[in-house]
Structures are given as structure tokens and as C-alpha cells.
Amino acid sequence: MASATGIPQHPPIDPDTDGQVGDTEPLLGRPGDASQRDNAPIIKNLVLGTGVLAEGAALLLVASVWASVFLNPVILFSIHPLAQSLGVLVLLQSILVLQPTHTAAQKQVGQKIHAALNLLAFVTFLVGVVGIEVNKFRSNGPHFHSVHGYLGVITSIWILLQYLVGFTMFGVPALYGGEANAKKIWKYHRSSGYVLLLLMLATVISAVETDYNKNVLGLKLWAMILISVIMVVGVYPRIKKQKLGF
């Protein structure tokens, strides 16, 4: 039912939630505040609600890193910060585009875009990892000599496992005993993804203390912390409690 202004008085009901509005209720705000509108283009999900803050922060991260890299001589090692910062941006798009979906049709489209963006992010991250490994082998550089290095390895393994579970749930649900069983794992996959985002941002922040940043890039710790906080503020209030099983 609509009011005199034409705005629905109640958020749309998701047929997948048995008539409950939990799937449209974000952690912060009212039901429907961070939900994709009917017939709205899915690209609007990227800047819906607080999403615009996360989008701006991610773009600022890429701009800061890329500007710092290209203002200095570009070397083989440069591939790593360029690719990893771009990978964070792409990965964030995969989160933002899927979060506001709540109807079966929206979720189907969102999941396909989410999977495609995650695949692109994985390839981008892989390029960054290969770049730094080739550089270390050529220069006989040490491995695991910084907090950033350890966090990078942990994050990489977590990303790989997250992608493996995500793609098999979506593409090969038979591995979990059928689609119904695969859906039961989704909430854990989502929760893991949100924790992974925090770990990824911690890895970005720790990069400030590496020799390459101190001697070449000159990125500031306060700036990376601020960018990361804004990104979290943009993403986490849009989390749907029902999608996490609450």
C-alpha cells in the first residue's frame, strides 16, 4: 500500500523469507533503507545508503596508491601495490552490488555479478602476488620479514578458501548434498566475507610500515586508517541481519 506521496508504507516482502521483513532490515536504519527498489538498476546498489561512503573510500585508496606509485620510478615491485589496491576496489564492488538484493530475481542477478567480480578480483590479487614473488626471487629478497607479509599470506589463503566455497555453493551445490544444503552455508560464507574484509583492510594498513612504503611511496598511516574506517562505515551498516541468520 502506498501513501499520498507514492512511497510504499512497508518495505517489499521477499518471497524467499516467508513474508518476513528481516531480509530488508539493515544493521543500522529502518527496514528497506538499504534494499534495492523494484525495477531499479542494480548498479545503484553500489551507492545505496552508506554504500557511497565505501565507494568513495575505495576510490580514494586506489587514487592514493596509484598516484604514489607513478610519481616514482616504476619497477617490477610496483605491480604489487597497483594490483592489490585495484583488487580491493573490485572486491568491494562485489559486496556492495549484492548487499541490497532481497527478492529472488534480484538475488539471482546479484549473485552472478558478485561471482564475476570476485573472479576478477581474484585474478587481480593473483597478479599482485606473482609480481612481488618474482621480484623477491630475482633480488633474493627475504620472505615473511614484516607484519604485512604474514597478514598477506593469511589473507590470501582465506580469500582462496572463501572463493572456493562461494563458487562451489553457487555452481556445484551437489557437493553439499543439494541446493537446500548449500543455502544453509550461505550465512557462514557471508559472515566469513565480512571478517575477511576487515583482515584485508588490516593488511592494507600494515603495508604502511614496509620498507617500500617508507622509502618510496610515503603513504601515511593515518590516511590508510581513515580510508579503511570509512570503508567499514560504508559497508557494515548495510548488512542484513536476516542474511546472517539473526
Side-chain angles (χ1 to χ4, degrees), residues 2-224:
S3 66
T5 61
I7 301 175
Q9 293 178 334
H10 302 285
I13 302 296
D14 184 356
D16 290 345
T17 60
D18 298 325
Q20 303 299 314
V21 298
D23 208 19
T24 67
E25 184 177 0
L27 285 181
L28 294 178
R30 299 167 301 176
D33 282 352
S35 297
Q36 181 180 349
R37 299 293 183 260
D38 293 338
N39 301 319
I42 198 167
I43 193 171
K44 285 189 175 182
N45 290 357
L46 300 178
V47 293
L48 184 63
T50 56
V52 67
L53 296 176
E55 196 71 68
L59 290 172
L60 184 57
L61 172 65
V62 172
S64 300
V65 172
W66 282 51
S68 297
V69 169
F70 286 112
L71 286 174
N72 293 280
V74 177
I75 58 177
L76 179 60
F77 192 94
S78 303
I79 295 175
H80 182 69
L82 291 174
Q84 304 311 81
S85 59
L86 182 61
V88 172
L89 175 64
V90 176
L91 186 67
L92 184 70
Q93 309 311 303
S94 75
I95 297 173
L96 295 177
V97 77
L98 185 59
Q99 275 186 318
T101 61
H102 60 96
T103 69
Q106 290 173 356
K107 288 178 180 179
Q108 186 176 36
V109 174
Q111 287 166 355
K112 291 179 180 179
I113 297 176
H114 178 77
L117 288 172
N118 269 283
L119 180 59
L120 178 59
F122 176 76
V123 172
T124 306
F125 286 136
L126 184 61
V127 169
V129 171
V130 170
I132 194 173
E133 288 303 313
V134 172
N135 178 77
K136 284 184 177 292
F137 280 116
R138 284 187 176 183
S139 62
N140 294 317
H143 289 75
F144 310 116
H145 71 294
S146 67
V147 173
H148 178 69
Y150 284 105
L151 286 178
V153 171
I154 296 172
T155 303
S156 297
I157 294 174
W158 195 325
I159 288 175
L160 185 59
L161 294 175
Q162 182 78 359
Y163 285 177
L164 181 63
V165 173
F167 282 116
T168 53
M169 279 194 310
F170 182 73
V172 196
L175 292 176
Y176 302 90
E179 186 174 345
N181 287 334
K183 283 185 176 181
K184 294 178 181 178
I185 304 175
W186 284 359
K187 60 182 179 181
Y188 302 110
H189 176 71
R190 294 184 184 105
S191 298
S192 173
Y194 287 124
V195 176
L196 175 59
L197 178 61
L198 293 177
L199 179 61
M200 191 175 301
L201 293 177
T203 306
V204 170
I205 293 172
S206 68
V208 174
E209 297 302 317
T210 61
D211 294 337
Y212 179 67
N213 182 67
K214 290 180 177 179
N215 299 327
V216 181
L217 299 184
L219 295 169
K220 303 300 181 183
L221 177 61
W222 67 265
M224 293 300 101

